[in-house]
């Protein structure tokens, strides 16, 4: 499920597990939305920030982590920033151990609202 507002795509993962069985299809779906379908007529991505809401996620395995790492690399390549919102401690613990939290610049937020606030704030700061 995805909520779209200008420049920001909020993706809610509605699975309890992110694992070998669903990680690749989820990654590909997000890449398709952002990279393949998110481009305007000039070939620029209209989506600048992707926020993944992980509140339903109870656990993540190495395949799940790998797909997030690869997703982040691909989004970064296209100038898109990735944030994580609402992670449970089991999930964030594993993402920290895998150094993923560092790779996304520590952009982990307690709620989607906070992630959006941080995005708006950085957008304002960038235009000053
Ligand atoms: C990035 O995503 C695009 C769009 O789906 C895909 O075609 C491409 O293979 C991906 N690139 C990498 C390096 O994963």
């Amino acid at each position: 499920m995805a909520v779209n507002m200008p420049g920001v795509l909020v993706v809610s993962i509605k699975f309890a597990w992110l694992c070998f069985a669903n990680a690749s299809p989820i990654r590909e779906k997000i890449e398709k939305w952002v990279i393949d379908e998110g481009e305007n007529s000039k070939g620029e991505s209209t989506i600048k920030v992707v926020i993944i809401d992980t509140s339903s996620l109870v656990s993540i395995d190495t395949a799940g982590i790998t797909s997030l790492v690869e997703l982040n690399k691909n989004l970064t390549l296209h100038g898109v920033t990735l944030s994580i919102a609402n992670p449970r401690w089991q999930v964030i613990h594993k993402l920290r151990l895998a150094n993923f939290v560092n790779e996304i610049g520590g952009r982990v937020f307690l709620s989607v609202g906070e992630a959006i606030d941080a995005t708006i704030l950085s957008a304002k700061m960038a235009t000053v």
Side-chain angles (χ1 to χ4, degrees), residues 27-37 70-71 73-75 77-78:
R27 171 194 163 193
E28 283 160 17
K29 207 175 256 183
I30 296 172
E31 286 177 341
K32 194 165 160 263
W33 282 332
V34 176
I35 299 164
D36 298 338
E37 293 169 7
E70 294 301 319
L71 173 66
K73 278 186 193 154
N74 202 353
L75 293 182
L77 219 60
H78 289 85

Side-chain angles (χ1 to χ4, degrees), residues 20 42 67 102:
F20 69 94
K42 292 179 201 148
S67 74
N102 274 339

Side-chain angles (χ1 to χ4, degrees), residues 46-124:
T46 54
I47 296 167
K48 300 294 178 207
V49 176
V50 173
I51 299 167
I52 301 183
D53 180 351
T54 58
S55 50
S56 302
L57 215 58
V58 174
S59 190
I60 185 166
D61 74 358
T62 51
I65 292 169
T66 301
S67 74
L68 286 181
V69 169
E70 294 301 319
L71 173 66
N72 180 52
K73 278 186 193 154
N74 202 353
L75 293 182
T76 302
L77 219 60
H78 289 85
V80 180
T81 298
L82 180 65
S83 295
I84 301 288
N86 261 325
R88 298 189 191 205
W89 75 263
Q90 298 95 323
V91 171
I92 201 63
H93 180 65
K94 285 194 177 171
L95 292 179
R96 276 218 179 87
L97 285 182
N99 205 38
F100 179 73
V101 173
N102 274 339
E103 279 179 37
I104 61 168
R107 285 185 304 274
V108 177
F109 301 94
L110 292 179
S111 67
V112 170
E114 261 188 38
I116 291 173
D117 284 351
T119 301
I120 291 167
L121 207 63
S122 62
K124 278 183 183 155

